[in-house]
Amino acid sequence: MKKVKVYVTLRESVLDPQGSAVKGSLHTMGYKEVADVRIGKYLELQIEPSDRDLNVVVKEMCEKLLTNIVIEDYRFEVEEAN
């Protein structure tokens, strides 16, 4: 079995109002050194072995369901599951 870690972030060109709100709150709390905050998503998938290419399958899942490819970027890592 494989563990796939998927990281989803807004594209740099897309405004991140949630990140801006967190940055403002951190500044209010005294963390003035925080220059920027971008909010994203993290997903972990447990994938059973199959005859399909795992990278192709994960890419399809990301582009069809897990991300909005118009405004989000993604990357993933594959490792052996324990």
Side-chain angles (χ1 to χ4, degrees), residues 14 16 24 27 31 41 53 57 61 63 74 76 82:
V14 176
D16 185 356
H27 283 186
Y31 300 105
K41 298 183 281 190
D53 181 294
V57 170
M61 288 190 288
E63 292 181 358
Y74 68 91
F76 61 90
N82 294 332

Side-chain angles (χ1 to χ4, degrees), residues 2-76:
K2 302 285 186 181
K3 180 193 288 187
V4 178
K5 297 177 179 180
V6 181
Y7 303 89
V8 182
T9 55
L10 287 172
R11 292 186 177 196
E12 287 297 320
S13 61
V14 176
L15 294 176
D16 185 356
Q18 188 178 11
S20 295
V22 170
K23 175 183 159 189
S25 295
L26 289 169
H27 283 186
T28 299
M29 295 171 68
Y31 300 105
K32 303 289 186 193
E33 58 273 347
V34 175
D36 195 20
V37 176
R38 303 286 291 176
I39 302 293
K41 298 183 281 190
Y42 170 75
L43 302 94
E44 274 190 12
L45 309 171
Q46 299 288 330
I47 308 289
E48 297 285 349
S50 80
D51 58 345
R52 297 176 66 194
D53 181 294
L54 180 60
N55 289 316
V56 171
V57 170
V58 173
K59 184 177 179 200
E60 286 176 2
M61 288 190 288
C62 287
E63 292 181 358
K64 290 181 179 179
L65 177 67
L66 302 177
T67 68
N68 178 343
I69 60 171
V70 174
I71 62 169
E72 294 175 320
D73 291 321
Y74 68 91
R75 66 180 174 84
F76 61 90

